[in-house]
């Protein structure tokens, strides 16, 4: 499938076509395309999408729009025109309609601010299903004031790029800690330096750090002593302090004692599935019994617990996935995030061209079960390459929203990030954009010359 467009944002148009034809390509040659989208202007912008005899048209008037809004409207209507054509061509719709590359909650909020009926725009113009539109309404309600940006504040992210083994769906740059042994302590030492320098910088600039999040990789693949050394650098009490332990097999009493001593309040224990055969297939190297044991151990400290599941794992049937959801709910963690499998470049499953099935039904089941057990959806994000073009949804018990998750997913918090491959973000609301500064990607470069990268991070916030 070849796509030709004269629209000045071809990637956006191609993203919509890829929902239906993932292998499609853009071409500059209109004479050899299968699908085309053309933009013209005669007082209004007109979009004509065509494939053989099939055509779809949309027109948008931008007379009263400012420059930024004009760009948004052009993109929106161009995407809707090509989406209309694709649905006709393929005889199917997508759960999120023509929405790509934007957080649905942000768009809903923006449309509302523009005075539009966002629900009507979602369903009638953009083609979003009633269920997904309702989900967004529910999430906005659960977030309430928590999605409001706090000026002069930031969250601190600390990245640990190590893991105990490699899951087949993992595309992170994390390395197996057993194979990277001699770099682990130098990494911890370099990271301590970066955390201290970052906190000094934040103090000097009057940036208040609200929440601290240790992510990865798997932070608890480090030893208790190494975790202690890193947590010693946090010289204040964050509003929320989270450690993404992830793998149950990396948790023990010593590490939990360290976290408790340092005031950690929230720990994630991620089962991904409660089916042993699936754990084995995806290379998790722990048992279902470990999940129950470590969950009980973590809960005995009084930590809030986040748990993650993934819909669409290889060999996991609909019934098996429902079992995973039921078991998770039975444990009653404070947060449950239901991910849809996303096959990204760099993962073993992507190489094997694995294709998940029944994922929509799995996601529907999880939503029904979680709602009926009193869990509330509170954040949502979509990624490229997600099975069935679905989404990841974080659910919480009432009042147990993870503040860091809302800040990062909704792009309402600045992030000061430390560690290999960590990305600091500064949000510039007045210009509706985000500036980023990335650290060194790999562990060795991080250890040897991350100082060069850190100065870019400080420049980002030094304005
Ligand atoms: S536990 Fe997480 S970081 Fe580690 S290999 Fe699995 S997906 Fe990747």
């Amino acid at each position: 499938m070849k796509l030709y467009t004269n629209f000045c944002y071809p990637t956006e148009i191609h993203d919509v076509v890829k929902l239906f034809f993932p292998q499609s390509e853009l071409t500059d040659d209109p004479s050899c395309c299968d699908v085309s989208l053309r933009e013209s202007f005669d007082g209004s912008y007109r979009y004509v999408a065509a494939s053989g005899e099939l055509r779809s048209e949309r027109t948008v008037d931008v007379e009263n729009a400012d420059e930024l809004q004009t760009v948004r409207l052009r993109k929106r209507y161009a995407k809707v025109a090509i989406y209309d054509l694709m649905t006709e061509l393929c005889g199917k719709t997508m759960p999120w309609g023509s929405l790509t590359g934007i957080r649905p909650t942000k768009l809903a909020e923006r449309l509302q601010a523009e005075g539009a009926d966002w629900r009507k725009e979602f369903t009638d113009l953009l083609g979003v299903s009633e269920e997904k539109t309702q989900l967004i309404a529910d999430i906005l309600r659960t977030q309430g004031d928590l999605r409001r940006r706090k000026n002069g504040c930031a969250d601190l992210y600390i990245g640990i790029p190590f893991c105990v083994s490699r899951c087949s769906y993992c595309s992170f740059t994390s390395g197996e800690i057993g194979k990277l042994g001699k770099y682990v302590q130098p990494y911890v030492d370099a990271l301590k330096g970066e955390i201290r320098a970052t906190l000094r910088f934040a103090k000097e600039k009057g940036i208040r750090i609200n929440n601290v999040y240790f992510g990865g990789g798997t932070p608890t693949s480090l030893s208790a002593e190494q975790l202690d050394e890193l947590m010693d650098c946090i010289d204040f009490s964050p509003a929320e302090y989270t450690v993404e332990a992830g793998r149950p097999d990396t948790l023990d009493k010593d590490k939990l004692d360290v976290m408790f001593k340092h005031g950690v309040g929230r720990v994630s224990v991620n089962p991904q599935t409660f089916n042993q055969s699936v754990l084995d297939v995806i290379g998790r190297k722990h048992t279902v019994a470990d999940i129950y044991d470590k969950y009980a151990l973590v809960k005995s400290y009084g930590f809030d617990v986040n748990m993650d599941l993934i819909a669409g794992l290889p060999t996991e049937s609909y019934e098996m996935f429902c079992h995973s959801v039921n078991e998770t709910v039975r444990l009653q963690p404070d947060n449950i995030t239901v991910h849809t499998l996303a096959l990204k470049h760099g993962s073993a499953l992507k190489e094997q061209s694995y294709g998940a099935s029944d994922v929509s039904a799995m996601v529907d089941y999880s939503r029904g079960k979680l709602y009926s057990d009193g869990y509330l959806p509170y954040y949502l994000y979509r990624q490229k390459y997600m099975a069935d073009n679905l989404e990841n949804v974080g659910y919480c018990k009432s009042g147990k929203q993870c503040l860091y998750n809302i800040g990062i997913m909704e792009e309402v918090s600045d992030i000061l990030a430390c560690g290999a491959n960590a990305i600091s973000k500064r949000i510039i609301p007045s210009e509706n954009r985000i500036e980023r500064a990335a650290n060194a990607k790999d562990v060795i470069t991080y250890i040897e010359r991350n100082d060069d990268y850190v100065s870019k991070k400080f420049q980002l916030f030094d304005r």
Side-chain angles (χ1 to χ4, degrees):
M1 160 73 72
K2 287 204 166 112
L3 164 72
Y4 168 79
T5 177
N6 70 348
F7 185 55
C8 45
Y9 302 99
T11 317
E12 272 88 344
I13 295 306
H14 193 198
D15 281 345
V16 177
V17 173
K18 281 197 282 190
L19 298 175
F20 297 85
F21 297 99
Q23 310 299 335
S24 59
E25 294 167 22
L26 274 169
T27 176
D28 293 335
D29 182 358
S31 67
C32 74
C33 69
D34 306 292
V35 176
S36 65
L37 176 99
R38 288 182 170 82
E39 179 190 62
S40 57
F41 181 74
D42 58 358
S44 305
Y45 283 96
R46 180 164 172 253
Y47 299 92
V48 178
S51 177
E53 299 292 298
L54 285 179
R55 281 166 74 88
S56 74
E57 273 190 49
R58 291 276 178 170
T59 305
V60 60
D61 179 3
V62 295
E63 206 184 321
N64 298 317
D66 63 21
E67 203 178 325
L68 181 62
Q69 208 185 351
T70 298
V71 171
R72 283 184 186 146
L73 286 169
R74 285 172 63 199
K75 285 186 189 176
R76 200 175 294 160
Y77 277 78
K79 287 167 74 172
V80 168
I82 197 83
Y83 177 76
D84 290 346
L85 183 81
M86 289 291 115
T87 56
E88 217 176 317
L89 190 64
C90 300
K92 63 175 180 179
T93 57
M94 291 292 160
W96 291 98
S98 60
L99 280 194
T100 59
I102 183 158
R103 285 161 207 259
T105 40
K106 276 185 109 172
L107 179 61
E109 198 178 45
R110 187 184 295 158
L111 288 168
Q112 213 163 10
E114 288 170 5
D117 177 344
W118 74 265
R119 292 184 70 129
K120 203 164 157 21
E121 289 260 325
F122 267 44
T123 52
D124 296 1
L125 175 67
L126 303 168
V128 180
S129 72
E130 290 285 351
E131 290 78 26
K132 301 301 179 196
T133 304
Q134 183 60 44
L135 179 59
I136 294 302
D138 293 344
I139 288 170
L140 289 171
R141 193 171 40 247
T142 314
Q143 289 178 347
D145 281 347
L146 296 177
R147 64 176 286 120
R148 198 161 293 157
R149 180 177 160 74
K150 294 190 183 83
N151 289 324
C153 297
D155 290 343
L156 179 68
Y157 174 82
I158 297 164
I160 310 296
F162 304 115
C163 215
V164 280
S165 68
R166 184 105 171 150
C167 305
S168 58
Y169 53 82
C170 182
S171 64
F172 298 136
T173 49
S174 46
E176 288 180 41
I177 198 158
K179 294 182 186 160
L180 288 165
K182 69 175 177 177
Y183 296 111
V184 177
Q185 189 57 46
Y187 179 81
V188 170
D189 292 338
L191 183 54
K192 285 190 308 191
E194 190 188 3
I195 297 170
R196 288 201 185 101
T198 302
L199 292 180
R200 259 197 319 272
F201 172 82
K203 236 173 238 158
E204 279 164 26
K205 298 292 165 193
I207 301 168
R208 205 178 124 216
I209 308 282
N210 280 331
N211 307 306
V212 174
Y213 190 97
F214 274 70
T218 297
T220 42
S221 57
L222 296 176
S223 68
E225 293 72 25
Q226 287 163 334
L227 283 173
D228 197 24
E229 286 177 43
L230 288 170
M231 288 178 175
D232 263 342
C233 303
I234 311 296
D235 58 357
F236 64 100
S237 297
E240 179 187 83
Y241 196 163
T242 304
V243 176
E244 192 185 353
R247 293 284 193 103
D249 44 336
T250 61
L251 280 168
D252 61 27
K253 202 171 168 321
D254 290 347
K255 293 177 196 178
L256 290 164
D257 284 345
V258 166
M259 292 185 217
F260 187 75
K261 178 181 89 177
H262 287 282
V264 170
R266 188 181 283 261
V267 177
S268 47
V269 183
N270 296 335
Q272 314 302 13
T273 171
F274 276 82
N275 295 291
Q276 187 61 52
S277 63
V278 182
L279 284 174
D280 296 341
V281 165
I282 61 176
R284 292 283 283 188
K285 308 262 193 270
H286 64 79
T287 63
V288 172
D290 287 334
I291 303 169
Y292 296 117
D293 291 351
K294 298 302 168 67
Y295 177 78
L297 182 63
V298 171
K299 266 296 178 194
S300 72
Y301 286 78
F303 293 130
D304 284 347
V305 176
N306 296 1
M307 285 188 136
D308 285 5
L309 293 175
I310 301 177
L313 288 172
T315 72
E316 186 152 77
S317 65
Y318 172 79
E319 289 73 21
M320 291 162 85
F321 177 77
C322 296
H323 167 71
S324 295
V325 173
N326 296 346
E327 283 303 279
T328 312
V329 169
R330 195 173 62 76
L331 293 174
Q332 292 284 298
D334 304 273
N335 276 217
I336 299 174
T337 301
V338 180
H339 293 266
T340 300
L341 185 69
L343 290 182
K344 295 188 213 154
H345 294 294
S347 67
L349 279 183
K350 175 85 182 172
E351 303 307 310
Q352 296 159 20
S353 305
Y354 166 74
S357 52
D358 289 339
V359 184
S360 294
M362 293 178 187
V363 165
D364 286 350
Y365 177 81
S366 66
R367 189 171 65 244
K369 175 71 181 161
L370 286 160
Y371 270 66
S372 70
D373 273 76
Y375 283 90
L376 307 167
Y378 81 100
Y379 74 90
L380 175 148
Y381 67 103
R382 300 174 64 215
Q383 298 166 287
K384 285 187 175 173
Y385 317 117
M386 295 189 91
D388 292 354
N389 293 307
L390 291 162
E391 66 277 330
N392 301 323
V393 182
Y395 296 85
C396 64
K397 288 186 171 175
S398 180
K400 292 288 184 179
Q401 295 92 329
C402 175
L403 304 177
Y404 178 85
N405 278 342
I406 293 180
I408 191 152
M409 299 307 174
E410 298 298 337
E411 297 173 336
V412 292
S413 295
D414 290 349
I415 308 285
L416 280 159
C418 300
N421 206 25
I423 298 175
S424 298
K425 291 181 192 167
R426 182 166 183 202
I427 294 156
I428 305 170
S430 58
E431 297 169 35
N432 187 42
R433 68 189 174 86
I434 299 172
E435 285 191 12
R436 296 174 169 81
N439 273 358
K441 262 199 160 132
D442 66 280
V443 169
I444 299 172
T445 315
Y446 179 82
I447 294 166
E448 288 175 353
R449 46 175 287 257
N450 195 54
D451 287 354
D452 305 348
Y453 294 81
V454 170
S455 58
K456 279 190 214 136
K457 169 168 73 179
F458 292 167
Q459 278 166 24
L460 181 66
F461 286 90
D462 194 13
R463 288 179 213 157

